[in-house]
Amino acid sequence: MSESLSPWATEVFGKQASAVRMFLGQALRNMQANAQAAQEQTDSRTNHTYGTARWQNQFERVQDELKDLPGATPVRPFGFPFELMLVGRGLIYPFLYSKTKADVRTARIPSESQLVKELFTFAPEPKHVQDAFDLGFEGTVLTAEPRGGLAAIPQGTRLILVPFACNASELLEAHWGIAALGENRHLEWATVPEPLALPQTVTSHGTRLASVPDQAATSARKHTSFTEGSEPTLTLSSRAASERLRDIPPQTEAQPVEDQTSEEDATH
């Protein structure tokens, strides 16, 4: 692969563009290694463990590789369990687009979740919306108000997509670029999706659990029943007089929080 950088990469990441490209490839290699190790440890007949581990690692390993770059900032979207990395003017979003080698130019986002809608507010307008504006029509625009950490991202930030193809056997390929979200979740590439180099060597950040810690001796362990535990504390609060007079029923449960973790490829 050529070492030259496209103008968009230099514009978004500045002098760190080359490092970002290299570290993204390394992060995906580490992702694959960790997910395969998790699958091997479970000795399962299905690939569910691999899929779950891969989904977690695609975000956490990217953070490992990029967090020490000057100005790199982790961003936590509302209701999402992982942080995305903001480097320069680029908000990086990795995702699985295929389990086999496939043309990335025909890739689709796995799901049109609330998270995806919020992320693509930092992407170009899709072509069908642009055409509608050219014809004088209002058009249909995918709109969502960014929440959580996304709400504090500076104006001018661009969503940088990192689609990759892999399965439980191997990491096949990866790309990066800028795209709009078109109809039926298809990507409309504003830049040519460029391949990322995927190194063969796996790197590790921090300490990984290599073995099960020694357990306490049998004589030192004490099994207790639930009747021997501490009695829970029950917190009571009175209702406001206005609520009682208006016959408003008491609220016994917190309002549900909208889940942003339902990326469809997480269990594959």
Side-chain angles (χ1 to χ4, degrees), residues 181-219:
L181 184 58
E183 295 179 323
N184 298 320
R185 307 198 318 271
H186 284 285
L187 294 175
E188 298 176 0
W189 290 98
T191 66
V192 176
E194 301 177 359
L196 295 173
L198 300 173
Q200 293 302 314
T201 304
V202 176
T203 60
S204 177
H205 295 259
T207 302
R208 297 285 190 270
L209 184 63
S211 61
V212 178
D214 293 335
Q215 304 299 302
T218 304
S219 59

Side-chain angles (χ1 to χ4, degrees), residues 58 141 154 197:
Q58 72 191 49
V141 185

